[in-house]
């Protein structure tokens, strides 16, 4: 089941539609080449974007270190630990219950682990009281178990990434063709209108399959449950809708077993966890590990009591604990090896699990044509892409990750060569206590905030990072303008479509405002805009020029945000306005103290 309980639409502000056609068996299609990501490529009239081919892979090894050694600010990195602990109690953004009983986070950049912390209890509750209050019944203090940095968590849907990787390994070996029908490998899958469903559609959740069906309670045996999953009919024309589907990944797990003749658990062990040295990762953990495992949910309706040491997902449990959609248990240190391997282009410690070209192909947004109708559809092969609702300021068109219903998530930003892992038991003792998205956002925001934005001058202005707000920075000109030009520096990174920065002009003393066309330049790159920007700004400073209307009396920069999910923000620096009569505004000189800031603050980084 998905970790996101509800979410309003999310669309990329800048969409480069990348369509990858059919490829021969064994070939992994990848996007066309582009300029280096650090150059913030933009063509005339087009905002900046970035593609998987812009990613530059390195071969970093994980090791502990100081944040400053990799250019991070220590304050926000330290704040990650405090934020992790804060959600052990009800908070203003999660007021009814604690967000989770316990959690572990691990953050790294350039291979340096800058934060690794544990908070709360891995095992705290014995049961849940009756509705409607659903109060947690705590274990005696001497039976509770504290969370450790190496606590083992049920990954829930993060397990889908392991299934994806072993499937892509079969693509590399020529055993699976992404654009072949699934029924070529699993003939019974053709039932229910699925003869045209391809392997790629399973990986991008565009197969037309429904999201979920209660296999565990509808069929008596694992064999019958697998058969029911494979025969489930589509509810939409394949390839025309995005529906996040557990059934699709269950089917993919069966497919890799059929083409290899080996169990999924063995494929994951031999293809992923053993090569990467992930010693605490796998399905159905041994009973002697139970004291290291975080408990999950009280499930009396399934005859299970408090689930502890077994997979939480009811369908995966009923399928024997091993399924394509759920079932993997792991630790933060183990997952760090996987994250670093992906940042390295598919290799870690001298062992390769995927080709670099395969990793790039997995980060193409194949669902771009569906975005208008399904704004939450941005996906590569298996991975979610550019999801500000939990990736926050680490988001970019090539940032990838996944969440898990039990309270787990990984976010990997290849542009900054960083990642953050959050593992929690947010369903302990009851899923009804709410999502842990607030904590996911907090730790991702903290890591992003640790990456300094250096202003061109001594000090820039930054829009305060508030949710559901519009904040303004106003410059009242010395006199009305005549054929004037404004220049300023702009750095922006916002949630596409939902958060905007605007450059506005008033000719009536601030009574009314209108946006003004601008030209943005960075090095040799130039693009033009209507005065409003949104989404990925290339993570560079743009020099902006605007011709002002005659009679302009005030300039204003406004930043507007929605209720949740933000990028790294909006910065303005070095504002100068002049006409033939001379200076009308000099933001670094005589007019520095005349800015009117409503929700903007000075920023040196």
């Amino acid at each position: 089941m998905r970790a996101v309980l509800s979410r309003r639409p999310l669309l990329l502000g800048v969409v480069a539609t990348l369509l990858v056609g059919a490829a021969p068996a064994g070939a992994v299609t990848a996007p066309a080449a582009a300029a280096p990501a650090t150059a913030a490529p933009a063509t005339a009239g087009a905002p900046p974007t970035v593609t998987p081919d812009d990613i530059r892979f390195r071969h970093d090894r994980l090791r502990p270190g100081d944040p400053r050694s990799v250019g991070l600010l220590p304050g926000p990195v330290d704040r990650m630990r405090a934020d992790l602990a804060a959600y052990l109690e009800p908070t203003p953004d999660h007021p009814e219950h604690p967000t989770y009983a316990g959690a572990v986070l691990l953050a790294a950049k350039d291979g340096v682990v800058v934060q690794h912390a544990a908070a709360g209890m891995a095992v705290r509750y014995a049961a849940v009281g009756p509705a409607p209050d659903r109060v947690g019944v705590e274990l005696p203090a001497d039976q509770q178990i504290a969370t450790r940095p190496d606590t083992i968590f049920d990954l829930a849907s993060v397990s889908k990434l392991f299934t994806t990787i072993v499937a892509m390994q079969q693509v590399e070996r020529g055993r699976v063709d992404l654009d072949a029908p699934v029924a070529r490998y699993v003939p019974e899958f053709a039932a229910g209108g699925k003869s045209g469903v391809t392997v790629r559609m399973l990986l991008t959740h565009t197969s037309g399959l429904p999201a979920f069906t209660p296999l565990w309670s509808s069929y008596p045996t694992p064999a019958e449950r697998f058969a029911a999953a494979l025969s489930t009919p589509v509810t939409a024309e394949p390839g025309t809708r995005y529906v996040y589907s557990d059934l699709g990944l269950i089917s993919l797990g069966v497919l890799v077993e059929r083409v290899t003749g080996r169990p999924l658990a063995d494929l994951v062990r031999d293809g992923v966890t053993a090569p990467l040295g992930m010693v605490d990762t796998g399905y159905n953990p041994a009973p002697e590990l139970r004291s290291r495992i975080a408990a999950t949910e009280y499930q009396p309706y399934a005859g299970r009591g408090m689930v502890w040491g077994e997979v939480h997902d009811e369908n995966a449990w009923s399928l024997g604990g091993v399924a394509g959609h759920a079932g993997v248990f792991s630790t933060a240190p183990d997952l760090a090896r996987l994250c670093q391997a992906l940042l390295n282009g598919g290799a870690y410690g001298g062992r390769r699990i995927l080709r670099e070209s395969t990793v790039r192909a997995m980060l193409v947004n194949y669902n771009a044509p569906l975005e208008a109708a399904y704004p939450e559809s941005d996906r590569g092969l298996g991975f979610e892409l550019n999801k500000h609702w939990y990736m926050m300021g680490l988001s970019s068109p090539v940032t990838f990750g996944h969440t898990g219903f039990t309270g787990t998530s990984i976010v990997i930003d290849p542009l900054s060569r960083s990642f953050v892992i959050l593992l929690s038991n947010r369903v302990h003792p009851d899923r009804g206590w709410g999502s842990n998205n607030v904590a996911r956002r907090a730790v991702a925001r903290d890591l992003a905030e640790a990456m300094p934005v250096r202003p061109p001058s001594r000090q820039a202005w930054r829009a305060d990072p508030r949710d559901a707000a519009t904040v303004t920075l106003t410059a009242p000109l010395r006199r009305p303008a005549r054929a004037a030009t404004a220049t300023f520096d702009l750095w922006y990174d916002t949630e596409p479509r939902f958060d905007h920065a605007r450059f506005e002009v008033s000719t009536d003393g601030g009574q009314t405002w209108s946006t003004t066309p601008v030209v943005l330049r960075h090095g040799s790159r130039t693009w033009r805009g209507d005065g409003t920007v949104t989404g990925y700004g290339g993570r560079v400073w743009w020099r902006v020029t605007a011709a002002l209307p005659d009679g302009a009396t005030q300039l204003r920069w406004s930043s507007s945000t929605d209720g949740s999910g933000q990028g790294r923000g909006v910065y303005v620096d070095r504002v100068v306005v002049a006409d033939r009569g001379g200076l009308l505004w000099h933001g670094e000189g005589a007019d520095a103290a005349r800015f009117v800031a409503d929700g903007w603050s000075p920023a040196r980084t």
Side-chain angles (χ1 to χ4, degrees):
M1 295 294 291
R2 183 147 190 202
V4 184
L5 303 182
S6 63
R7 174 66 177 160
R8 83 284 185 275
L10 172 64
L11 274 174
L12 281 174
V14 179
V15 177
T17 303
L18 300 168
L19 295 176
V20 179
V28 183
T29 51
T38 53
T43 58
T49 189
V50 64
T51 76
D53 261 10
D54 299 321
I55 299 168
R56 298 296 173 254
F57 296 124
R58 307 195 329 181
H59 297 286
D60 291 320
R61 291 292 298 266
L62 293 166
R63 70 272 188 201
D66 188 280
R68 286 165 288 208
S69 71
V70 287
L72 296 179
L73 303 172
V77 174
D78 291 341
R79 190 165 62 238
M80 298 179 82
R81 186 181 293 264
D83 283 342
L84 186 75
Y87 288 103
L88 297 173
E89 303 292 337
T91 56
D93 52 3
H94 199 280
E96 299 299 322
H97 300 280
T99 299
Y100 39 63
V104 174
L105 76 84
L106 190 151
K109 184 182 187 312
D110 296 334
V112 175
V113 177
V114 297
Q115 186 63 273
H116 185 194
M121 308 304 292
V123 182
R124 180 174 178 178
Y125 300 98
V128 176
D133 296 329
R134 306 289 288 169
V135 174
V137 179
E138 292 199 17
L139 289 162
D142 63 352
Q143 295 180 33
Q144 297 184 25
I145 300 175
T147 308
R148 308 177 349 183
D150 65 348
T151 290
I152 299 169
F153 286 84
D154 178 342
L155 298 185
S157 284
V158 176
S159 305
K160 292 179 171 70
L161 301 183
F162 292 83
T163 308
T164 296
I165 291 169
V166 297
M168 296 307 295
Q169 290 171 341
Q170 304 315 310
V171 173
E172 289 185 346
R173 292 164 188 166
R175 293 172 174 165
V176 173
D177 179 345
L178 286 173
D179 294 301
V182 176
R184 175 187 295 180
Y185 312 103
V186 185
E188 65 269 37
F189 183 83
K194 302 194 298 300
S195 61
V197 172
T198 67
V199 179
R200 190 187 302 271
M201 290 175 186
L202 296 184
L203 287 163
T204 58
H205 296 271
T206 57
S207 65
L209 282 166
F212 169 82
T213 192
L215 302 171
W216 68 275
S217 61
S218 301
Y219 304 92
T221 67
E224 290 173 281
R225 292 166 189 143
F226 274 117
L230 295 172
S231 63
T232 299
V234 295
T235 57
E237 181 70 22
T240 65
R241 287 182 56 189
Y242 169 79
V243 176
Y244 178 83
S245 176
D246 281 357
L247 295 171
L249 268 290
I250 291 172
S251 301
L252 186 65
V254 173
L255 183 152
V256 296
E257 291 186 331
R258 295 284 182 90
V259 300
T260 63
R262 303 183 63 205
L264 177 61
D266 291 355
L267 295 169
V268 168
R269 180 195 64 214
D270 295 343
V272 185
T273 62
L276 298 182
M278 300 172 68
V279 296
D280 289 321
T281 302
Y283 301 87
N284 289 326
E288 58 266 26
L289 294 174
R290 193 167 188 252
S291 63
R292 288 184 53 201
I293 298 173
T296 54
E297 189 176 26
Y298 185 58
Q299 294 185 352
Y301 57 86
R304 304 181 70 189
M306 182 61 70
V307 179
W308 180 22
E310 293 182 333
V311 63
H312 167 266
D313 182 274
E314 298 94 336
N315 280 346
W317 165 68
S318 75
L319 294 170
V322 182
H325 72 299
V328 176
F329 287 71
S330 190
T331 65
D334 270 13
L335 286 175
R337 288 173 171 261
L338 177 61
C339 292
Q340 192 61 56
L342 293 167
L343 280 178
N344 290 352
Y348 183 78
R351 300 293 301 274
R352 179 165 293 282
I353 62 169
L354 291 170
R355 300 170 187 162
E356 288 188 3
S357 59
T358 299
V359 176
R360 294 187 198 280
M362 294 170 75
L363 304 184
V364 175
N365 180 15
Y366 297 98
N367 290 350
L370 298 178
E371 279 185 323
Y374 301 97
E376 187 61 24
S377 66
D378 294 339
R379 281 196 174 256
L381 300 175
F383 289 110
E384 295 185 306
L385 301 174
N386 204 26
K387 306 293 190 187
H388 285 72
W389 63 263
Y390 73 96
M391 297 176 177
M392 293 292 281
L394 300 178
S395 301
S396 78
V398 292
T399 298
F400 58 105
H402 215 285
T403 61
F405 188 80
T406 50
T408 59
S409 57
I410 62 171
V411 179
I412 305 173
D413 174 14
L415 302 184
S416 66
R417 301 179 302 277
S418 64
F419 63 84
V420 62
I421 298 162
L422 178 64
L423 305 180
S424 81
N425 56 353
R426 72 101 187 163
V427 295
H428 184 55
D430 188 85
R431 71 185 69 187
W433 282 20
S435 163
N436 69 320
N437 287 343
V438 290
R440 288 172 171 148
R441 286 194 285 269
V443 297
R445 178 196 63 222
D446 291 342
L447 183 57
E449 288 286 309
M451 300 175 192
V453 177
R454 308 285 186 190
S457 72
R458 184 180 64 87
Q459 179 175 275
W461 287 93
R462 183 191 186 188
D464 294 346
R466 305 175 184 175
D467 285 331
T470 295
V471 296
T472 59
L473 177 69
T474 304
L477 302 182
R478 299 175 187 177
R479 57 177 170 79
R482 290 289 182 269
T485 298
T487 59
F488 58 93
D489 295 306
L490 174 69
W491 196 103
Y492 72 94
D493 182 75
T494 72
E495 184 180 22
R497 282 212 180 172
F498 297 98
D499 297 349
H500 300 83
R502 294 181 175 87
F503 175 58
E504 302 171 308
V505 178
S506 176
T507 58
D508 56 11
Q511 296 300 308
T512 59
W513 297 89
S514 59
T515 55
T516 294
V518 293
V519 179
L520 300 92
R521 295 181 176 87
H522 176 82
S524 61
R525 289 156 301 280
T526 300
W527 64 283
R528 300 175 184 275
D530 62 2
T532 298
V533 294
T534 184
Y536 175 72
R539 299 185 183 178
V540 296
W541 283 94
W542 295 92
R543 189 63 176 164
V544 183
T545 304
L548 303 184
D550 286 346
T553 57
Q554 291 175 297
L555 312 184
R556 186 172 76 176
W557 295 263
S558 68
S559 174
S560 300
T561 59
D562 68 350
S564 65
Q566 295 188 28
R568 289 171 65 186
V570 179
Y571 297 76
V572 170
D573 197 10
R574 297 196 305 175
V575 180
V576 176
V577 183
D579 62 10
R580 286 190 294 269
L583 279 175
L584 301 178
W585 185 271
H586 187 214
E588 307 304 312
D591 300 302
R594 296 181 58 234
F595 278 107
V596 180
D598 181 5
W600 288 64
S601 301
R604 296 193 177 187
T605 58

